[in-house]
Amino acid sequence: MIRKTIIILPFLITLSGCEDFLSKAPDSSAELNTPDNIAALLVSAYPETSYIWFTEVMSDNATDVGPSAPVDDETLRQAYNWETIEGDAQDTPDGYWYSCYASIAAANAALEAIDNLILEGYYSRTDLNPLRGEALMCRAYCHFMLVNLFGEHYSPDNADSEAGIPYVTAVETEPVVDYDRLSVEDVYDAIQKDFWEGYNLISDNIYTAPKWHFNKQAAATFISRFYLYRGLENDWDSVIFYANAALQNNPGAYLRDWLTTSDESFDVFGKNYSKSEILSNFLIQSNVSTGLRAWYHRYTMDLELLRERVVYGGPHPTQTDITNDFVFINKAGGNTTYGCYSVFKFVEEFKRDAINANYGIPYVMYTSFVAEEALFNMMEGYVMQENYTKVLELLNMYYSARIIGYDPIAHEVTQARIVEKYTNNRNSPDIAPHYSLTQDQKTWLKCIVNIRATEFVTEGQRWFDIKRMHMEIVHDRYNAGPVTLTANDPRRVLSLPEDVGSLDFDTDVNFKLAEPVMQQYFPVDYHSLFDTESRLSEKTN
Amino acid sequence: MVHRVSIKIRSGFIPLIVLFSHLSALYAVFPESHNYLQKVIVTGTVTDETGLGIPGVNIIIKGTTKGATTNLDGKYEIEIDDPSSVLIFSFLGTEVQEVRVDGRTEINVTFLPETKEIDEVVVNGYQKIDRKMFTGSAAVISGDDAQIDGAGDISKSLQGKVSGVQITDVSGTFGAAPKLRVRGASSIYGSSNPLWVVDGVILDEMVDLSASDLSTGNAATLISSAVAGLNADDIESFQILKDASATALYGARAMNGVIVITTKKGKKGVVSMNYTSELTIRETPSYRQYDILNSQEQMSVLLEMEDKGLLTPSSLFVAKNGGVFSQWYQMTDQRSENGEYLVENTDAAKFRYLQQAELRNTNWFNELFRPALLQNHSISISSGNENSSNYLSLSYYHDPGWTISTNVDRYTFNANTIYNITDKLSFGIIGNASIREQKAPGSLNQQIDVVEGNYSRDFDINPFSYVLNTSRTMDAEAYYRRNYAGFNIIHELNNNFIQLDMIDAKVQFNLAYKPVKELEIDVLGSYRLAKSMREHRILNNSNMADAYRAAETAGIIENNNFLWQDPDDPDALPLVVLGEGGFFNTQANKLSGYYTRGNVNYNKIINGIHAINLLAGGEIGSNSRLASFNNGYGFLWGSNIPVTDYRIIQKVIDAGDNYFGMSETYERQVGFFGTGTYSYNGTYTLNATLRTEGSNQMGKSRTSRWLPTWNISGSWNIGNEPFLGRADFINNLTLRATYGLTATSSPFAYSSAVYYATRTYRPDQDDRETMLYISSLANNSLTWEKMKETNIGFDLRMLKRIGLTADAYWRDAFDLIGIIRTSGIGGEHIKYANFADMKSSGIEFSLNITSVNKTNFSVINNLTFSYHENEITNLQSEPRVIDLTGITGSAKEGYSQSGLFSIPFAGLDENGFPGFYDENGNRSYNIFFQNSSNTDFLIYEGQLDPKITGGLDNTFMYKRLVLSLFFTYQAGNVIRLYPTYSTGISDDEALTREMIDRWVMPGDENYTSVPVIPSNNQLEFNPDLVYAYNAYNFSDQRVAKGDFVRLKYITLSYRFEPKTIKNLKIKMLELKGTVSNAWLIYSDKKLHGQDPEFVRSGGVALPTPRQYTLSIRAGF
């Protein structure tokens, strides 16, 4: 026995020494031990896939062209009929769900790593604040998109009883974890809490490619969208405040230049549309998407719908015929044989699996936040404050950038013209947001919502307006009767992915915090933050 | 330390030679007349053949219970009443000798081994165990028995020789590992490759390839075999450790079985030298074996295609590849220097041209294959004395190549020295090195197109694939179009090849210290460095380089992927960005590793009845692997200078690709182990092993780093029991049983979160950023893949000529890594976690019969048989249709681990188009290959791994002539046939004879299932046909059975009588002729002559040829 003990004892001693030896990572995976690596991780905190194809087809920007269309995609057919969309590939609701939560996980991992770095004492809280800010903004944004797709639209009457989505704030460490579904209100509160903290921390200076990250302007646009969607009584100030912050009080400088690009080929225009030099582009995302493959698909626009959206001046409330002067016509196109029409804004960037492979991953650079959105949000805010003078000023500024050969007199938008066109316009569905509207407000809002539909055609935004404005829309079907989505249709809420199963509904949470005072933002010195080598040596010497 | 006692389990108890010393002297002192009762004390010594005393030998006076035991020096003393008594000397319960006392007072006995049978000890890499003390399931095969002359790689030589071991020769190319399974697969997604152990040290593969990777034909398979650097002549023995007990000391890495190789050591005695020479010629394959259309039949198909509008000038001008039709139209468009057309574009000229092609019947096999003489020379020198022994060997393997683009040279060196510094301390040094230079056809990696469900390889010039794929109407000397550029296979093979260089060296020491007889302390240390470099040389005029310059017509410019599109000018025409030169692409691999181990072994025999063996120790091992690549775009061969156009680099980078890269992996292992065996009288033996193991393979987190494994086993040697008596019917019978837990570290799964870096894909380079992404989230409940195994078996020897070893096992694998689908809310929708289980079981036996045993003639038959089946009992994920129906199959709950499924074929329709039943049972042309939510509509075909494998060896010995016929067989598996069907048949493709049965006119659909060649019109109006024809390849129509019976080897050898060769001053001379891969006796007709083992994947993979070897062995 004694002999055995003698043999075993040294092994027990060496056992502890082995831990170091066995701590070697099995491959060249990265560790979140520097601000650089955390910043790199946050590059993946933006969803890899997009919602725009199914939301576009669910909206009234789509019609059923019929079997003459060369592509009859099952996903889009289901979207058009407001059925449960199957599959979890790119351009499906389930796919978007998974990529949003993957981005949230990256943000949470970054937040955890930031806390660890501070605990270890190599970096101060202030040093890492811009990264924390970005992580919080990403977390808020992804949850926001999900709750607006998979939950009922926010309404103060029932937001605390409507099921939202799980709000994830910690990194998962077990293979299977049960999550609770929060109410829409709780999710909104959590989002607000995150961006309240995050917005003031972010700094454009830390980004090497700022247009691909939550820079100040993108973040402000997002916050203005949040308040616009929430629409509580005091939210309109915030809508305007953040929209102004995004446009830096100079909306005209940021609007997209459609006027000088009319001669560009579709390829050139598409490539330029989402370039980071374009001032209008606040946030660009590189999304895996096959959406553009299906330009000539069955549930795109027919000629009639295209005309309504872009040809006859769209929603422009003017008497003047601007049929061929409205900028979108230059990028509208279609195929007369197929009867399919659309506006071509983006191009696909095909990443081959190998340099010569014939297959790979199709990417599209979608613009998630643009100056125009901030502008429209601001207009809606002013409408709610009944400051119509301001709205008219902005509206005319917008049209000066959208009508070729703009004539300030002939093309001027006036209150009278708006009232005339929108009081009883058969082409614009009735709107019924959760907040009450005067007759004037309703007319003005209908106008602005319709301009949005045109400006963001093929960008999937229209669906969210239909949802928040409780519009009733009709989808005609080829050789079959039309289907109607009523103002409060339950199909406006997407069903959770099949693999999610049923989640418990947790109402016992509280994310509410006192709103921070709006702070003037002071950028952190970029070089002092990322000069990690000298910082590390300071410590070790 | 175990005494080398000649106890031969397999061959029964052959009487030992007992020497009586001082015999004459005894007779002188005690004449026979003294015959009265008187107590006498008899003393003596029991020694082994080296004169060392054997302690613990039991001595009993026959007919009494009185006995004695030898002491540490082997001395004994016993009092007898009757000088005519008989003494029974027994060791570990085995009666080894009865000796009549005959009045003597000193009787010395020597236990002499008759011939040293490797069977009597089991070498498990950690210790040598007396077979009697060994309770696990292990098979042994001597190096000589396993040796197949003319085969370069020893791993293939075990095929069919050991029950429970499946070896599938997926590629005959030198250096490519076969698919090897010991008792089937143990993991669903992880490696199921067994562990190679050479002289106590694990020999790792340079690249870790899965079973499906081995079948890809990628250039990495050239370095996939761990043992390709070993010289078969250096191998003393193979021990295959199969069950949990046998492999228990290896712990985690041995879940898939262990193959222990012991190399030769110097022998005591005079210096001896052995020389072996093998000369091999290989048969050029013949079209008779394969059902390929001849040029006449092919031409009739081509003419039908032309009728259907598939070979029009307009389509051929923009077609990537082309054969005779394409060439004809190109010629009609070309003018010679004086401005005249090369050929007259008339019907008569065309007819003449086509008729020439129709009669051509090119034999591509003869163009690309050759019998070339393969040589292998090996020389070894062995010497030894009391203090040291030495073994040195050199070998040279030279293969000038079965095809015009392959060759191999391999050199091996091996040194093994043992010095007995004192009688308690010995020190051994082992060094091996091997150098390999190999040429292979230029090959890129296989790619899987998940969209259409295709496997493809760009620029594949594999000679074997080329022959089977290429129309015999084409001229071997002419150039045809491929990738829009001129192509001739012979020219291409000379201008586009891979040069592989590899060097692999290992140094090792062994230290053994025996402070007392019972105790031995062993320390072992080794270091290994292996490096390989693959240079893919693509010369200036190769088709692969010319493809980048093909821009003759607007149609080609538009379609040629190899041209460069300026991202800043999307409207511009694509440009050539490889003006001159070719490519110089290199791939390097490095493996470096060390391993050290120390263990203490205690051996004691008490009273000759109780035998105890204890072993405890610890080990530590580390392996680092590095793989790097560098693609040189634009290298001007000849001048040897780079002439890179910067835009080709931009093309690479814009595409999100890299032109160089590197990755490193690290494996670190620590293990502590202890094992104890107790045997009572050699009849009842009990063994227990405990091991605890640490590995870094599951990531930085400590939660799942350590794992203990254990095993208990026992055996009952019924042959020792008195009730069996000394019946001649049963010579020996041992029952064995083991139960234990083994485990292996989880593949693809880490306990801590894993972040990998990548470069974002954004069009503007200024916008690109390095991105870290979560490859997998932390998994605190991650654990090892585990398996509980029960094994029962017996070893039987009867009638002195029949030996039977049989085993049955049940394996319960749990906590296997499986794919689970989560809600995705945590950020990872599809995860690897320990959520899968698998059950497997099998029986295996080896039967050895000496059916004829005459003085001059004897016949020995050796049959091995294994049956293995497994079932996935729990797997939470549903694989996609493409995974289940593809060449490598996929695991699915309720089916075998290597299950293969098919798309249900719904027959041909009235147009001759194939249709299929989709998930709703409806007839469809388009099957969604990515579908994973509903795959129940697929037909289960069976498993890819054979259920039954084995071999039969019949050896006939007449005097000094030995003839051996060795058969291998397998059954119970299915094979996905090579995917040949597509709508886009090109006029350079060869078609199989099946095409003769194709649908031609309405009504044919009632008789045939071979689809029509769709016309151009039909293709235009049925865009789904492309998918339908591809789906046909993965339908139940395209599956064959994998069963086969093969006469693997015929060998005939003659060993000269020593006196005949005495004048030549040669001690031993043997001549041997071998026919390898002699005859595929039975295989499924649907394979059309294809080898059921070989996976035709192109790249560097070649089938195993039939070959004829003459070998000479001489000993000096």
Side-chain angles (χ1 to χ4, degrees), chain A residues 97 101 105 108 166-181 499-504, chain B residues 777-781 820-829 831 833 835 876:
Chain A
W97 169 281
Y101 275 117
N108 283 327
Y167 203 91
V168 186
T169 53
V171 183
E172 193 173 87
T173 56
E174 290 294 329
V176 177
V177 177
D178 288 329
Y179 291 91
D180 288 339
R181 217 172 162 176
D499 290 341
V500 173
S502 61
L503 299 174
D504 289 336
Chain B
L777 290 166
N779 178 354
N780 286 344
S781 7
I820 56 164
R821 301 166 83 94
T822 73
S823 66
I825 298 168
E828 203 182 355
H829 176 211
K831 285 185 169 186
F835 274 63
Q876 309 217 334

Side-chain angles (χ1 to χ4, degrees), chain A residues 58-61 82 152-153 228-229 308-309 315 380 422 425-435 437 442-454 460-475 483-493:
Chain A
M58 288 193 299
S59 79
D60 58 356
N61 279 352
W82 305 301
E152 182 54 83
H153 190 79
L228 183 77
Y229 279 24
E308 187 186 319
R309 283 282 177 261
E380 279 196 40
Y422 282 98
N425 189 330
R426 61 170 180 87
N427 281 334
S428 64
D430 194 28
I431 57 169
H434 70 73
Y435 35 88
L437 303 171
K442 191 178 225 177
T443 306
W444 282 90
L445 275 190
K446 274 170 90 171
C447 171
I448 294 164
V449 167
N450 261 30
I451 300 170
R452 272 182 188 270
T454 302
Q461 295 250 26
R462 174 71 171 165
W463 173 253
F464 297 97
D465 291 341
I466 289 167
K467 208 170 156 182
R468 71 190 170 100
M469 292 292 174
H470 293 267
M471 299 184 209
E472 179 178 299
I473 57 167
V474 177
H475 273 175
V483 280
T484 305
L485 189 79
T486 59
N488 290 307
D489 204 302
R491 289 173 297 176
R492 291 151 64 257
V493 176

Side-chain angles (χ1 to χ4, degrees), chain B residues 13 53 429 566 1101:
Chain B
F13 306 133
I429 295 172
D566 185 351

Side-chain angles (χ1 to χ4, degrees), chain A residues 15 19 21 24 26-27 30 40 44 97-98 101 172-175 213 265 276 286 355-356 358-359 499, chain B residues 447 548 561-562 571 657 666 668 696 705-706 755-756 761 767 769 772 779-781 821 823-824 826 829 831:
Chain A
L15 209 75
E19 294 291 351
F21 175 73
K24 179 85 184 168
D27 58 15
S44 66
W97 169 281
Y98 297 125
Y101 275 117
E172 193 173 87
T173 56
E174 290 294 329
H213 294 265
S265 71
S276 47
S286 169
I355 182 168
N356 302 317
N358 281 323
Y359 38 87
D499 290 341
Chain B
Q447 295 160 337
Y548 282 78
N561 278 341
F562 305 119
D571 296 339
D657 230 326
Y666 308 94
R668 289 186 168 186
N696 75 331
R705 183 170 290 164
W706 292 90
Y755 307 97
Y756 286 120
Y761 187 64
D767 286 338
E769 294 181 275
L772 289 184
N779 178 354
N780 286 344
S781 7
R821 301 166 83 94
S823 66
H829 176 211
K831 285 185 169 186

Side-chain angles (χ1 to χ4, degrees), chain A residues 293 350-360, chain B residues 318-321 444 447 449 456-459 482-485 543-566 573-578 583 633 647-648 650-652 654-655 657:
Chain A
R293 303 249 154 146
F350 187 56
K351 181 180 188 293
R352 296 173 188 278
D353 271 9
I355 182 168
N356 302 317
N358 281 323
Y359 38 87
Chain B
V318 292
K320 206 171 171 182
N321 303 330
L444 301 177
Q447 295 160 337
D449 174 2
S456 72
R457 187 191 304 279
D458 286 324
F459 298 109
R482 204 172 192 195
N483 305 306
Y484 304 111
N543 170 266
M544 194 167 165
D546 283 344
Y548 282 78
R549 293 186 272 263
E552 283 166 45
T553 64
I556 292 175
I557 291 173
E558 203 173 300
N559 289 302
N560 189 354
N561 278 341
F562 305 119
L563 303 182
W564 175 73
Q565 172 75 55
D566 185 351
L573 277 180
L575 298 173
V576 171
V577 284
L578 184 79
F583 301 86
Y633 297 93
R647 293 172 300 183
I648 197 166
Q650 193 180 347
K651 175 177 161 70
V652 173
D654 282 343
D657 230 326

